[in-house]
């Protein structure tokens, strides 16, 4: 069965990448960074719209699943800890606006793991309460990339919010069947000393390998090796056919997209779970009807 989804704060579209593989259809993508629109179009054949504040909910075709890795800087340990006082934190309220208008069956949100502890947990509590007010049940878990077959230390929180009338029997965060250990050496085919890569980031590349800022420098066969765009793309789970410019003049943007994106292994696994929820609900509705 095919489902329709909306890809908010889409970047290079990790959700789209994985949901496409299940045959799902994206009805709307949005990102106010116009530089990413061409990349998105080249990979998925559709152009995102811009600022989320400009989306008229009446213009969105019907859909089942809303997803969004909303901007995380205000919540990140590396950010300024602004939380809801930061305009980007308030972008979360735009997700609520879209939820209220369409009441999609499932909403999947992603953010940095520090969202959970920001402002002593108050920010996360407010976010959950706002979602629950829309009559959804929030399930959440922090997932670590290296536990699921991608040798990167990135940790992210996933929130799977299910509309309260959707009946299902899925244990959403029982992910044992997807657990897989993988080293950089096995995955990238070079003799990396380190088992798992640091989190791919937007800035701070080329720091000395011993610096705390370093994330792209590694020891391979006794020499310093810097991750290439190809390596980072692979470490974020995108295959060779995924289009990203390697033109030097675009490098800064390309690294930013890669630093911002969600490892596709995560969106793939969460996608399987959402699919299971929707199928379980469908079956239970059929039983009730028969
Ligand atoms: C953490 S990134 C999301 C990455 C994305 N999920 C992916 O798979 O690549 C957040 C994105 O939100 C976008 N953004 C920030 N403010 C926005 C706004 N007002 N409207 C639409 N997009 C916005 C940024 O340009 C950025 O690409």
């Amino acid at each position: 069965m095919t489902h329709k989804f909306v890809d908010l704060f889409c970047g290079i579209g990790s959700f789209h990448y994985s949901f496409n593989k299940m045959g799902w259809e994206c009805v709307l993508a949005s990102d106010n960074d116009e530089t990413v629109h061409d990349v998105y179009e080249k990979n998925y054949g559709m152009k995102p719209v811009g600022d989320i504040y400009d989306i008229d909910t009446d213009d969105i075709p019907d859909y089942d699943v809303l997803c969004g890795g909303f901007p995380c800087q205000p919540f990140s340990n590396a950010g300024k800890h602004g939380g809801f006082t930061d305009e980007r934190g308030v972008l979360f309220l735009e997700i609520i606006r879209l939820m209220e208008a369409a009441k999609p069956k499932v909403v999947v949100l992603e953010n940095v793991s520090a969202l959970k502890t920001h402002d002593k947990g108050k920010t996360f509590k407010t976010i959950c309460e706002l979602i629950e007010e829309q009559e959804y049940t929030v399930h959440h878990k922090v997932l670590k990339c290296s536990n699921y077959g991608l040798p990167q230390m990135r940790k992210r929180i996933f929130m799977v919010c299910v509309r309260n009338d959707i009946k299902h029997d899925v244990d959403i965060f029982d992910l044992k069947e997807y657990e897989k250990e993988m080293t950089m050496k096995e995955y990238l085919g070079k003799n990396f000393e380190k088992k798992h890569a640091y989190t791919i980031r937007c800035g701070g590349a080329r720091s000395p390998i011993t610096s705390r800022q370093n994330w792209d420098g590694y020891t391979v066969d006794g020499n310093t090796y810097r991750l290439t765009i190809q390596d980072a793309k692979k470490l974020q789970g995108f295959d060779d056919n995924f289009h990203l410019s390697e033109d030097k003049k675009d490098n800064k943007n390309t690294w930013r997209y890669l630093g911002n994106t969600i490892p596709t292994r995560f969106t793939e696994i969460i996608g399987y779970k959402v699919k299971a929820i929707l199928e379980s609900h469908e079956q239970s509705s059929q039983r009730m009807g028969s």
Side-chain angles (χ1 to χ4, degrees):
M1 187 185 300
T2 181
H3 297 290
K4 295 184 175 173
F5 65 97
V6 163
D7 191 9
L8 294 182
F9 310 108
C10 62
I12 54 173
S14 177
F15 282 111
H16 199 144
Y17 183 89
S18 297
F19 290 4
N20 243 358
K21 288 191 176 168
M22 298 192 292
W24 294 11
E25 184 194 339
C26 182
V27 298
L28 177 99
S30 155
D31 200 296
N32 71 344
D33 176 358
E34 291 198 355
T35 70
V36 88
H37 290 188
D38 282 347
V39 182
Y40 200 93
E41 191 176 19
K42 272 208 176 93
N43 286 294
Y44 308 114
M46 69 180 286
K47 214 168 187 107
V49 299
D51 206 310
I52 191 168
Y53 290 105
D54 297 334
I55 295 177
D56 182 343
T57 52
D58 290 341
D59 293 342
I60 312 177
D62 287 346
Y63 62 97
D64 311 288
V65 181
L66 175 74
C67 38
F70 53 110
C72 52
Q73 288 88 341
F75 309 115
S76 156
N77 280 327
K80 289 198 191 103
H81 301 270
F84 272 125
T85 58
D86 185 305
E87 201 202 328
R88 289 165 302 183
V90 178
L91 280 172
F92 171 74
L93 300 178
E94 286 297 290
I95 296 177
I96 297 289
R97 177 172 74 88
L98 266 69
M99 276 176 86
E100 195 162 19
K103 296 282 180 187
K105 294 182 180 121
V106 182
V107 176
V108 183
L109 304 175
E110 177 264 2
N111 215 291
V112 290
S113 51
L115 174 63
K116 240 184 128 177
T117 49
H118 179 267
D119 196 12
K120 302 197 179 97
K122 286 189 209 145
T123 302
F124 189 65
K125 189 165 172 275
T126 305
I127 285 176
C128 290
E129 283 169 0
L130 287 167
I131 297 170
E132 283 159 4
E133 273 171 22
Q134 295 298 317
E135 303 193 0
Y136 285 74
T137 302
V138 181
H139 308 261
H140 58 84
K141 189 163 183 175
V142 172
L143 304 180
K144 190 172 176 190
C145 226
S146 55
N147 291 336
Y148 301 97
L150 285 178
Q152 191 194 152
M153 279 150 48
R154 200 179 194 90
K155 275 192 201 163
R156 286 297 183 263
I157 188 164
F158 284 86
M159 304 170 73
V160 177
C161 317
V162 184
R163 207 174 67 199
N164 287 345
D165 63 314
I166 302 295
K167 303 285 170 238
H168 70 92
D169 57 8
V170 179
D171 187 346
I172 299 175
F173 286 110
D174 175 2
L175 302 175
K176 276 184 225 75
E177 65 181 299
Y178 303 112
E179 285 175 9
K180 190 175 175 188
E181 178 59 38
M182 177 73 75
T183 65
M184 285 185 89
K185 183 175 171 179
E186 287 164 334
Y187 192 71
L188 293 176
K190 286 190 175 65
N191 210 9
F192 283 90
E193 229 170 55
K194 208 165 158 45
K195 197 168 162 193
H196 299 142
Y198 303 105
T199 298
I200 311 281
R201 296 213 300 265
C202 303
R206 307 275 148 178
S207 300
I209 197 165
T210 50
S211 153
R212 284 189 58 205
Q213 311 299 321
N214 172 48
W215 60 266
D216 67 335
Y218 297 85
T219 304
V220 174
D221 294 324
N223 299 315
T224 295
Y225 177 85
R226 296 284 172 182
L227 292 183
T228 62
I229 282 174
Q230 280 301 329
D231 295 329
K233 184 164 108 173
K234 199 164 175 198
L235 283 166
Q236 292 288 43
F238 292 87
D239 62 28
D240 287 345
N241 296 329
F242 189 79
H243 169 85
L244 276 178
S245 169
E246 286 179 56
D247 194 324
K248 276 223 161 59
K249 71 174 175 21
D250 299 327
N251 266 1
K252 219 172 141 206
N253 283 339
T254 302
W255 278 111
R256 180 162 44 83
Y257 307 149
L258 283 168
N260 269 337
T261 199
I262 308 169
T264 62
R265 188 67 188 134
F266 283 154
T267 47
E268 183 179 37
I269 293 171
I270 298 288
Y272 294 151
K273 288 292 188 169
V274 174
K275 182 168 185 262
I277 292 169
L278 296 174
E279 284 174 358
S280 172
H281 171 66
E282 202 63 38
Q283 281 159 12
S284 106
S285 312
Q286 275 164 11
R287 276 198 302 275
M288 303 277 278
S290 61

